[in-house]
């Protein structure tokens, strides 16, 4: 009987060690997922910034003589679809802009003005499943300036 109890105890000890090891594995997977999420957020934020720098956004340009996007802040990233070759994501956020009224000579004469504001935007991107650093825009940036007219 004691030999049977000893075997049972050893078996329970092995099960405990396996469960403890699996808990450690799950914790490591969670940490890796956090690292991947942070990497994707940085890559998407960088791509978004580059898109804003290279885009002419009519909905912003009509608000002032000169409009400069200071920084697009990515609020939310949503995975919309994954297929065999790409991951498709939707991006929403706020574009911080400087609205400039007047020319350089207007400012020298004290007649120009600037105003800082922020407007929500959305866009869609995709990336190959083999390289999450290569995002391309699938739907151009749409900036909602309706608050300007309220």
């Amino acid at each position: 009987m004691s030999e049977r109890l000893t075997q049972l105890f050893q078996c329970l000890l092995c099960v405990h060690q396996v469960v403890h090891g699996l808990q450690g594995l799950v914790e490591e997977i969670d940490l890796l997922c956090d690292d991947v999420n942070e990497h994707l957020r940085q890559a998407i934020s960088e791509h978004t910034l580059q898109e804003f720098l290279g885009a002419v956004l009519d909905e912003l340009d009509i608000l002032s003589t000169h409009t400069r996007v200071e920084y697009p802040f990515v609020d939310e990233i949503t995975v919309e679809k994954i297929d065999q070759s790409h991951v498709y994501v939707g991006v929403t956020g706020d574009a911080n802009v400087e609205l400039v009224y007047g020319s350089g000579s207007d400012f020298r004469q004290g007649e120009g003005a600037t105003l800082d504001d922020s407007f929500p935007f959305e866009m869609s991107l995709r990336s190959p499943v083999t390289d999450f650093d290569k995002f391309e825009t699938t739907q151009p940036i749409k900036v909602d300036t309706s608050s300007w007219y309220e």
Side-chain angles (χ1 to χ4, degrees), residues 109-121:
Q109 296 172 13
E111 297 175 0
T114 61
L115 177 67
D116 292 326
D117 210 333
S118 179
F119 300 99
F121 74 87

Side-chain angles (χ1 to χ4, degrees), residues 32 41 89 91 102:
L32 287 173
R41 176 169 280 287
V89 296
V91 179

Side-chain angles (χ1 to χ4, degrees), residues 31-140:
L31 290 173
L32 287 173
C33 286
D34 290 344
D35 288 348
V36 168
N37 285 337
E38 182 57 30
H39 176 81
L40 287 175
R41 176 169 280 287
Q42 288 177 357
I44 289 169
S45 293
E46 179 61 29
H47 180 83
T48 301
L49 175 61
Q50 294 306 316
E51 285 296 303
F52 266 96
L53 292 175
V56 174
L57 301 169
D58 293 336
E59 58 265 43
L60 289 175
D61 282 345
I62 64 171
L63 301 179
S64 67
T65 309
H66 305 283
T67 302
R68 186 178 79 205
V69 175
E70 293 177 337
Y71 190 78
F73 178 76
V74 173
D75 289 323
E76 188 173 334
I77 300 166
T78 307
V79 175
E80 297 173 341
K81 176 180 150 185
I82 301 174
D83 63 23
Q84 67 275 10
S85 59
H86 290 89
V87 175
Y88 298 82
V89 296
V91 179
T92 60
D94 291 299
N96 298 321
V97 299
E98 179 183 52
L99 304 171
V100 179
Y101 301 94
S103 64
S105 64
D106 290 337
F107 276 90
R108 284 189 294 279
Q109 296 172 13
E111 297 175 0
T114 61
L115 177 67
D116 292 326
D117 210 333
S118 179
F119 300 99
F121 74 87
E122 62 182 42
M123 64 189 296
S124 295
L125 311 173
R126 76 176 186 174
S127 173
V129 294
T130 57
D131 190 351
F132 288 133
D133 287 324
K134 291 186 179 177
F135 282 94
E136 62 184 19
T137 302
T138 57
Q139 280 189 344

